[in-house]
Amino acid sequence: MRHHGKSCRGAARGEREAQVSATGGQLRLGLVIAVLLLLLVNVSGLWSDTTAQRVYAVLQACTGIAVLIVGLAVASRLTGVARTWRLLVVATILCQTVGEAIWWFTRGGTGGTAAAPAIAAYFLAALLALVVLALLARIGIGGGHPHGLDRAARAVAAIDGVVAAISFAILAMLAGVGALTGVALPRSGSTTVVAAYSVLELMVVVAAVLIAMLYRPDRPYRTNFMLLAGGAVAIVTSDRLMAYLHTVGVERGDLWSFGLVLGPLLIAYAMLPTKPRPAQDPDRDAMYWAQLLLPYSGFFGTALLFAFHVLIGQQLNPFVVCGAVTMVSLVAVRQVIVMRAQSQLTQRLYDAQQRLAHQVHHDPLTGLPNRLLLSERLDAAIGRGPFVLIFVDLDDFKEVNDRFGHAGGDELLCLVGNRLRRCIGESDTLARIGGDEFAILIDGSHDPPDVIADRIRVALRDPFAIHGSSIRVRASMGLVRPNPDDPLPTSDDLLRQADVSMYAGKRVGKDTAVIYRPSLGVSTDFPTALRTAKGGIPDGFRLAYQPVVRLPDAVPVALEALARWTAPNGTEIQPDAFVAAAEAAGLGAMLDAMVLNLACREMCSAGINLVLHVNIGGARLGSIAFEQQVRRTLARCGMTPNQLVLEITETVPLLDLADAASQIARLNAIGVKVALDDFGAGYSSLTYLHSLPVQMIKLDRGLAVGPEPDRIETLYRSVVRLSDELGVDVIAEGIESAAQASTVYAAGCRLAQGHLFGQAAPIDALASLREVLSAR
Ligand code: C2E
Ligand code: CA
Ligand code: CA
C-alpha cells in the first residue's frame, strides 16, 4: 500500500515537473518575443542613434552574460559530457565577449576595426564553436546508425550541406566591402582575415545544418543541439547581414542584426538541462518540424535577400546569380530524391502489407489458402448458390513421416496439394487446414457430392514419388452440401459438419467418403446416452431380431439380435455409427453386455425357443470378465449355453490371435458357440479361420452380389467345402432374392439370412413372422 502511495506521489511530482517545464517553455518564448519587440522599437527611431546603439549593446551584453551564468550554473550541477559541452559553449561565448569588450573599449568611433587581440579572440571563439558542434555530432549521429544511412539520405544530407554553404556564401559575398569596415566580425580591415573568418563561419553554418538534419531523435541533447545550432547560425548570419546592410547603405543597419541578440538567448536556453524524450507523435514534436524546415531556411532566406537587394535597386553580381541558380537546382534535385525515396518507401510498405496479407491467409508450406481464407470464401459462398465443402484427411500420414522424416512428409503434402489443385476448377478453393488435412470448396457446382468425391479419389490414386520410393495415398473425406431449403448455415457449422462426416468415415475404416447428414453428429452422443443409463437401457435403445433360416425350406433356426437407437432429437442412427462411437469411447464392453442381457431376457419372456445370435466386438475376446458375464446372464435367464452364438464383429484387427483363441476355447468350454462375422470382408480372413476355434462363419453379404452367379457359386462352394472339413457351419448373409438363395444352396450352404427371409424386427413382431415363414 505504502509503495503504491509512494509511486502515486512520484507520478504527481513528475506531472508537476512537466507543468513547470511547460510554463517554463511559455516563459522562455515570452522572453524571446519581448526581446524581439524591444529590438524593433530600438530600431524604429524612437530615441537617438547613440541611445539605440547603447540599448543594442546592453541587450547583446545581457544575453551574452545570460549564457555565461546559465551555462556555468547548469554545468556545475552536471558531470561528464553534459558538463563538458556546456563549459565549451561558455568558453566560446567568453572568448567572443572578451573580443567584443576589447573592441568596444579600443575602437576609434562607430564601426572601427578591432585590435589584433580582439580578432584573435573572435577566431578562437569560432574554432571553439566548431569543437562544440563536433562533440555533439558524435553524440547525436555517431556510433553507427541502426540501419545505416541509405544512398538517398546521404545524397539529401550532402545537398542540404551544399545549399547551406551556398546561401551563406551568397550572403557573405553580398556583404562585400561592408565586412571590411569593422561593423561585422572579425572587425578587421584585411580582406584575407575577413575571408578566413568567413570560411570559419561557413563551416559553422554547414556543420550546424548538417548535424541538425542528422541528429537522431533518440539521442540525448537533441533539443539542446537544435537551440545551440539555431543560436550559432543566427549569430553568424546576422553578423554577415550587418556587413551587407552596411555595404548597401541601410541606415542603422547594425541595429537590424537581431540575431546577435537572439542568438545568444537561444544558446542560453540550450544550456538548460532537457530530459531525453521518448518517441512521440511527430506532429507535436517541435524538433521534427525544425528538422523538416531547416533545409529550406537558407533557400528561403536567400530568396528574401535577393528580393530586398533588387528592390533597393542594387545589382547582382554573376557569381551570386550562379550560386543562386545552383542552389535552386540543388533544391529541385533534393525534392526529386526525397519524392523518389518516398514513393519507394510507399511501394515497399505496400509490398510488405501485401506479403503480410498473403501470409495471414496462406499456408507457408504449400502456399495454399489456409483455414481463415477458406472460412472467408465459405462465408461468401453461403447464400450465393450451390456449393460443396469437402474435408480430405490423408490416411496413415504418420507412417509417411515416420518412414521418410518430416521433410518427406512435407514433400508429400505439397505433391498432394498439387494433385488436388489439378482436379478442381479455377473458381474453387483448395485450402490446407491442418497437418494432413485439406479442404476443398467447390463453388457453383451441381455435381452430386459422391461424384466429386470420386474425382478426388481418382486424382490421388496414382502413387507419389518420395525420396525415390513410391507411396500410395488414401484419404478419408467428409462432404457437405447444404440443403437450400434449410436455414442458412454459418461457415463454422459447415466446417464442423465436414469434420464430423470425415471422422464418421475414419471410424469405419479408411479411404472413405461420407456425405453429411444430421444424424452423423448425433451418433457421437450415443456414448453419453449409454453412460447416463448406468448399465440400464438408454433412452431410444431397443433390439430388433433377424431370423437365420435353414435352406432350402427357410425355416428359422435362430435369431440375430441387432441394436437400434433413436437419438434424443428423433433421428434414427445407423448401428455401424453408434456402435463405433461406443467402441471409440471405450464403452464397447458395456454395450455388448447390455445387448446380451436384453436379448436373453426378451427371448425368454417371448417364449421363443430359437438359438440367439448376439454381436460382440472383437476386443471382448481379450477380457476374462466377459466370459463370466456371459455365464451369469445365461443362468439368470435360464437359458442353456448352447442356445447362444456370439458373433465376433471386427472393427479393428485382433491383435493377439493366440489369446483370442483361448478366450473362444473358454466360451466353447461352457457350451457357447462363436461365429466369425462378415467373413471375407475387412479383417475377417482365412488367418482367423485358421487360428480361431470358431463353430460358425457368416459369409459377408458383399460376396452374394456380383455379375456372374457361377463365380459366386464357386466361391461359396469352396468356402463351404473348406468349412465342412474344419467342422464349421456357414451362414450366407444378405440373401435378398430367390436366385441368390438357390445359388448359395447349390453351393452347399445350408444356413442363410437376409431380407428374403425377413428383416430385423422387434421381438413382438416375431410371432407373426414365424407364421409367415412356416406358411411358405
Ligand atoms: P452385421 O452383424 O453383419 O449385421 C447384419 C446387417 O446386415 C444388419 O444391419 C442387417 O440389418 C443387415 N441385413 C440383413 N439382411 C440384409 C439384406 O438382405 N440386405 C441388406 N442390404 N442388409 C441386410 P444393421 O442392423 O444396420 O447392423 C449393422 C452392423 O452393426 C452389424 O452388422 C453389426 O456389425 C453391428 N451391430 C448391430 N447390432 C450390434 C450389437 O448389438 N452389438 C454390436 N457389437 N454390433 C452390432
Ligand atoms: Ca452379425
Ligand atoms: Ca455380418
Side-chain angles (χ1 to χ4, degrees):
M1 257 342 257
R2 198 193 298 162
H3 176 82
H4 177 73
K6 208 172 173 179
S7 75
C8 269
R9 272 202 301 281
R13 198 175 51 224
E15 224 162 81
R16 255 199 321 277
E17 268 170 17
Q19 277 165 9
V20 166
S21 82
T23 45
Q26 283 164 6
L27 266 178
R28 287 198 291 271
L29 187 65
L31 188 60
V32 169
I33 292 170
V35 171
L36 197 64
L37 287 175
L38 193 55
L39 284 167
L40 276 171
V41 171
N42 192 44
V43 85
S44 67
L46 212 65
W47 43 73
S48 77
D49 226 32
T50 334
T51 318
Q53 289 283 355
R54 285 212 181 105
V55 169
Y56 186 82
V58 167
L59 278 175
Q60 215 181 337
C62 282
T63 49
I65 290 166
V67 175
L68 297 180
I69 293 173
V70 174
L72 285 173
V74 175
S76 69
R77 284 194 284 128
L78 296 171
T79 53
V81 71
R83 178 194 178 99
T84 311
W85 72 257
R86 284 183 174 88
L87 288 180
L88 278 170
V89 173
V90 167
T92 309
I93 299 296
L94 206 62
C95 273
Q96 184 74 17
T97 315
V98 165
E100 289 288 80
I102 297 175
W103 168 71
W104 185 265
F105 294 111
T106 61
R107 67 182 170 155
T110 322
T113 52
I119 294 176
Y122 296 142
F123 268 86
L124 188 59
L127 284 169
L128 277 172
L130 279 173
V131 172
V132 175
L133 292 177
L135 182 67
L136 286 171
R138 255 191 41 201
I139 299 169
I141 42 184
H145 208 270
H147 312 294
L149 275 180
D150 63 7
R151 264 178 44 209
R154 271 202 300 269
V156 165
I159 289 177
D160 288 340
V162 174
V163 167
I166 292 177
S167 51
F168 185 78
I170 286 175
L171 178 62
M173 223 177 263
L174 287 179
V177 288
L180 301 171
T181 59
V183 291
L185 295 173
R187 312 194 193 285
S188 164
S190 149
T191 321
T192 324
V193 173
V194 170
Y197 191 76
S198 297
V199 169
L200 272 186
E201 283 188 327
L202 184 116
M203 284 166 73
V204 169
V205 169
V206 171
V209 169
L210 265 184
I211 300 165
M213 288 307 294
L214 300 175
Y215 216 102
R216 288 170 43 194
D218 56 330
R219 291 294 172 88
Y221 316 128
R222 181 164 171 253
T223 310
N224 305 74
F225 180 83
M226 295 291 177
L227 288 167
L228 201 61
V233 171
I235 291 173
V236 169
T237 47
S238 277
D239 182 50
R240 281 310 96 189
L241 194 65
M242 197 148 76
Y244 165 77
L245 292 174
H246 195 80
T247 306
V248 295
V250 173
E251 256 182 78
R252 299 164 177 246
D254 39 357
L255 297 182
W256 274 106
S257 302
F258 295 174
L260 291 178
V261 176
L262 293 176
L265 192 59
L266 289 183
I267 294 178
Y269 290 165
M271 297 291 101
L272 297 171
T274 50
K275 265 188 237 144
R277 280 185 305 175
Q280 51 165 289
D281 179 8
D283 273 351
R284 294 179 49 198
D285 182 8
M287 292 308 120
Y288 165 79
W289 284 104
Q291 256 179 346
L292 206 66
L293 298 175
L294 187 66
Y296 300 99
S297 58
F299 182 66
F300 182 64
T302 309
L304 280 182
L305 184 65
F306 272 28
F308 179 77
H309 198 68
V310 172
L311 282 177
I312 60 170
Q314 295 285 329
Q315 293 284 309
L316 285 169
N317 82 46
F319 285 118
V320 168
V321 173
C322 282
V325 170
T326 313
M327 189 167 68
V328 170
S329 317
L330 283 175
V331 170
V333 170
R334 179 190 203 273
Q335 204 61 16
V336 171
I337 294 175
V338 168
M339 265 158 64
R340 219 178 80 94
Q342 199 77 27
S343 80
Q344 278 172 345
L345 197 69
T346 313
Q347 184 61 41
R348 275 218 295 273
L349 222 82
Y350 176 78
D351 290 348
Q353 212 175 24
Q354 292 293 98
R355 261 201 312 277
L356 211 75
H358 190 270
Q359 269 167 23
V360 166
H361 284 110
H362 290 80
D363 161 51
L365 175 65
T366 57
L368 294 173
N370 60 13
R371 186 181 277 267
L372 184 66
L373 184 54
L374 176 75
S375 305
E376 287 176 14
R377 301 250 170 102
L378 204 52
D379 280 330
I382 293 168
R384 190 167 53 198
F387 66 88
V388 180
L389 172 68
I390 306 155
F391 264 27
V392 182
D393 183 293
L394 306 187
D395 294 330
D396 305 321
F397 181 71
K398 196 181 162 298
E399 283 168 23
V400 177
N401 267 340
D402 291 348
R403 216 173 118 196
F404 299 99
H406 283 266
D410 286 355
E411 201 179 323
L412 179 64
L413 289 173
C414 291
L415 293 174
V416 168
N418 289 342
R419 281 268 181 95
L420 291 175
R421 204 184 342 226
R422 264 183 267 143
C423 76
I424 62 170
E426 281 284 293
S427 58
D428 303 331
T429 302
L430 166 66
R432 178 168 173 237
I433 52 170
D436 59 347
E437 284 182 31
F438 295 85
I440 301 172
L441 172 65
I442 308 271
D443 210 352
S445 161
H446 290 274
D447 290 346
D450 45 340
V451 171
I452 297 171
D454 214 50
R455 215 157 66 208
I456 294 168
R457 206 178 277 130
V458 170
L460 294 178
R461 204 163 49 190
D462 289 342
F464 292 85
I466 301 288
H467 294 186
S469 304
S470 101
I471 298 185
R472 283 192 185 275
V473 166
R474 291 187 306 173
S476 301
M477 284 178 257
L479 299 94
V480 182
R481 176 195 282 293
N483 189 346
D485 304 328
D486 290 349
L488 284 187
T490 65
S491 58
D492 277 351
D493 290 341
L494 294 171
L495 291 169
R496 203 183 45 246
Q497 290 170 3
D499 204 44
V500 163
S501 326
M502 190 191 74
Y503 273 101
K506 277 236 184 250
R507 270 201 299 268
V508 185
K510 290 170 185 169
D511 204 9
T512 51
V514 176
I515 299 165
Y516 180 77
R517 39 196 166 83
S519 60
L520 282 176
V522 179
S523 69
T524 50
D525 287 350
F526 182 69
T528 313
L530 200 59
R531 232 180 256 123
T532 327
K534 293 197 177 87
I537 317 285
D539 282 344
F541 188 89
R542 65 207 179 275
L543 290 177
Y545 297 84
Q546 186 181 36
V548 178
V549 301
R550 193 179 63 199
L551 293 179
D553 51 11
V555 171
V557 293
L559 291 178
E560 179 182 359
L562 292 164
R564 297 286 175 262
W565 185 54
T566 313
N569 70 352
T571 328
E572 196 61 32
I573 310 299
Q574 295 297 308
D576 295 310
F578 69 78
V579 169
E583 288 283 0
L587 298 175
M590 193 187 225
L591 169 70
D592 287 348
M594 192 254 295
V595 170
L596 181 67
N597 230 319
L598 184 63
C600 291
R601 227 169 50 213
E602 287 189 338
M603 283 285 279
C604 290
S605 52
I608 297 174
N609 195 20
L610 288 176
V611 173
L612 171 67
H613 287 231
V614 173
N615 293 287
I616 59 163
R620 298 307 88 71
L621 293 180
S623 125
I624 309 246
F626 183 70
E627 176 208 330
Q628 291 163 352
Q629 221 156 20
V630 172
R631 220 196 296 239
R632 270 204 305 275
T633 307
L634 289 174
R636 201 174 324 132
C637 301
M639 274 172 73
T640 53
N642 60 11
Q643 268 184 287
L644 181 65
V645 176
L646 294 174
E647 297 188 3
I648 302 165
T649 318
E650 263 321 310
T651 42
V652 285
L654 292 174
L655 290 178
D656 190 339
L657 282 179
D659 194 39
S662 58
Q663 259 303 326
I664 293 172
R666 268 201 296 278
L667 288 166
N668 293 160
I670 57 171
V672 173
K673 288 188 188 131
V674 175
L676 271 184
D677 207 349
D678 305 335
F679 189 80
Y683 301 110
S684 193
S685 65
L686 275 180
T687 319
Y688 285 6
L689 189 56
H690 167 254
S691 320
L692 305 176
V694 293
Q695 287 69 49
M696 215 173 268
I697 56 173
K698 297 186 77 173
L699 289 183
D700 189 73
R701 68 166 182 266
L703 305 176
V705 286
E708 297 170 58
D710 290 352
R711 264 183 101 85
I712 298 175
E713 197 189 312
T714 312
L715 187 84
Y716 273 79
R717 191 187 304 283
S718 347
V719 178
V720 169
R721 175 144 6 107
L722 178 76
S723 308
D724 273 350
E725 279 172 26
L726 291 171
V728 170
D729 287 334
V730 177
I731 303 176
E733 283 190 305
I735 303 304
E736 294 176 340
S737 66
Q740 280 174 316
S742 52
T743 303
V744 299
Y745 180 69
C749 202
R750 295 293 170 262
L751 292 168
Q753 200 177 356
H755 292 167
L756 177 67
F757 312 111
Q759 304 215 355
I763 196 91
D764 316 336
L766 283 176
S768 55
L769 179 75
R770 194 153 38 160
E771 278 161 30
V772 174
L773 285 170
S774 52
R776 281 162 62 112

